[in-house]
Each structure stands twice: as C-alpha cells, then as structure tokens.
Amino acid sequence: MKVNTAILSRAAVRAFDPSHAISAEQKRELLELARRAPSAWNIQHWRFVLIENDELRQQMRDAVMGQPQVTDCSMFVAIVVDLEAWNRSPARYFDFLPDDYAQAYAAKIQEFYNGREWLARDDAMRSCGLAAQTLMLATTAAGLASCPMDLFDEERVSQLLRLPAGHVVAMFVAIGKALPGSNAPKASRLPYDEVVLIDRFGASA
Ligand SMILES: Cc1cc2nc3c(=O)[nH]c(=O)nc-3n(C[C@H](O)[C@H](O)[C@H](O)COP(=O)(O)O)c2cc1C
C-alpha cells in the first residue's frame, strides 16, 4: 500500500471484531515499524506496553472511561514515556557514531534538558505521537484498523501498568479488525486555508 493511501484510509475505529486475533509475529512486525519513528535527539522515549492479559484488559477498560475498544481489539498498546530518558546513558542514542562524537552529543542532550523538565516532557510527547502515527499507518498498510486513545484515569492506569517513577502514559493505540461500517461517517477536516498559512499569522504591524 502506498503511504498516501494509508494516510487517507486510516480512521479512528471504535468497533472491533472481538473474535479476531493477531499473531505474535505480526504484533512484533508492527512494533518493529513503530520503533523506526523519529524522536528528539534519537532518545526513543517510548516504551510500548503490549497489554495481553484479559483481566488486565478489563481493568484497563474501566480506567479508560469504559471504552469498548480496549477489550474488543486484537492488540492493545500503551505508549509509555520515560520522562528521564534524556538522562539515562544518553551516549547510547548515538552508538552509530564514533565514541567521541557520541559522548559530545550526550553532553549536549544533558545541557539541553537539565532544569527544563517541561521541554523534556514536550519532546517526549511529540516523539511518542510520531510513534503512534507510525504504528497506525503500519496497521492500515497491514489491512487492519486502529484507534488512538488518551481519555484515561492517569493514576489508575499508572497503578495497573506498575509504571516506574518518572514514567507516564502518552497514549494508547487499539488495533484490530474493524466491524463493517465502524469507520463511517469519516471525520471531516477544517478547510485547507484555515490550517495552512504562508510565512506568518496576521497582517504586518
Ligand atoms: C491524542 C488523541 C487522543 C484520542 N483519544 C481518543 C479516545 O480516547 N477515544 C476515541 O474513541 N478516539 C480518540 N481519538 C481519536 C479522535 O477522536 C480522531 O482521531 C478524530 O476524531 C479524527 O478522526 P479520524 O482519526 O477518524 O480521522 C484520539 C485521537 C488523538 C490524536
């Protein structure tokens, strides 16, 4: 499938066939593609938690405002952010470079984020959003459907996933087989001219 086709045919699906299963190999293939997404400084802030246990899925459904996608989809992924990822042996994010370059980049990362936790969080969330979209486009190309989700009880979800300190959920992605008619009507988009600007906002002062 062409990328354009995948972009145009993806839709947030809320009704999945609960009897459909995705093999372990295919789950791995989708996550292998998701982890190719770009990330700020190549930090790869994401940790993908594949939620497989039925009882945990039911508990997660309650924590995600009762949304049925959680239990009905074939693959449910929490994209978790490590907010301290920038400070965890950062030279390894540059292990494809000579060691002295990798060390220099690591020092730059630490200088960049140290004392600017808000920026570390923003960059981590931006990067996880790109991972989520990469995962959803790969899913569409595989003939499957997806739903991005971020309505959840943060405290309960943290408990259920036993998140380590400094980790938060960026969002969830539910993946599976769409039930017929489940992605209609297709969501509209604002007019092109409202969302695309040339050079800057507003007339000159
Ligand atoms: C960050 C984010 C969070 C979302 N959370 C939910 C959610 O919790 N439940 C849901 O059904 N859809 C959720 N959506 C899907 C949006 O409602 C959907 O993408 C939007 O209405 C546009 O529709 P489309 O994706 O079908 O084009 C979310 C989307 C994003 C990007």
Side-chain angles (χ1 to χ4, degrees):
M1 185 184 284
K2 285 194 167 169
V3 175
N4 291 14
T5 310
I7 292 169
L8 292 172
S9 55
R10 184 213 56 81
V13 160
R14 294 166 182 108
F16 290 98
D17 177 352
S19 67
H20 181 259
I22 297 179
S23 68
E25 292 72 31
Q26 189 168 24
K27 288 177 186 170
R28 170 134 197 171
E29 203 174 303
L30 293 172
L31 291 170
E32 287 286 7
L33 292 168
R35 73 189 190 92
R36 302 309 306 174
S39 60
W41 298 89
N42 197 32
I43 290 174
Q44 303 156 72
H45 319 72
W46 45 70
R47 298 294 178 267
F48 300 100
V49 184
L50 199 48
I51 303 168
E52 306 264 65
N53 178 280
D54 286 343
E55 191 188 340
L56 183 57
R57 282 264 203 118
Q58 187 55 58
Q59 292 169 321
M60 290 298 292
R61 177 171 167 164
D62 296 339
V64 182
M65 312 299 166
Q67 298 189 69
Q69 304 93 301
V70 179
T71 47
D72 294 349
C73 68
S74 322
M75 175 176 176
F76 189 58
V77 184
I79 305 183
V80 172
V81 167
D82 178 359
L83 294 169
E84 293 285 329
W86 61 272
N87 205 19
R88 288 191 214 286
S89 311
R92 68 203 168 109
Y93 307 136
F94 300 97
D95 65 357
F96 54 94
L97 295 176
D99 193 52
D100 50 340
Y101 280 84
Q103 296 300 338
Y105 270 113
K108 272 191 188 305
I109 289 182
Q110 286 174 315
E111 189 189 321
F112 188 70
Y113 290 117
N114 198 16
R116 297 203 289 173
E117 284 73 25
W118 55 271
L119 182 55
R121 188 184 176 104
D122 281 359
D123 271 358
M125 290 294 177
R126 282 189 263 267
S127 302
C128 285
L130 291 169
Q133 178 70 343
T134 304
L135 177 60
M136 292 190 289
L137 291 179
T139 295
T140 307
L144 293 165
S146 62
C147 187
M149 301 168 70
D150 77 349
L151 293 173
F152 58 91
D153 175 339
E154 199 167 332
E155 208 177 306
R156 179 74 180 129
V157 159
S158 304
Q159 279 171 355
L160 288 171
L161 298 180
R162 298 190 193 144
L163 294 188
H167 288 60
V168 293
V169 171
M171 62 195 293
F172 297 94
V173 179
I175 296 172
K177 185 176 169 196
L179 287 177
S182 57
N183 52 6
K186 207 161 166 47
S188 60
R189 291 296 186 263
L190 294 171
Y192 180 92
D193 289 336
E194 185 175 341
V195 300
V196 178
L197 296 99
I198 307 294
D199 290 338
R200 49 177 71 93
F201 279 83
S204 57

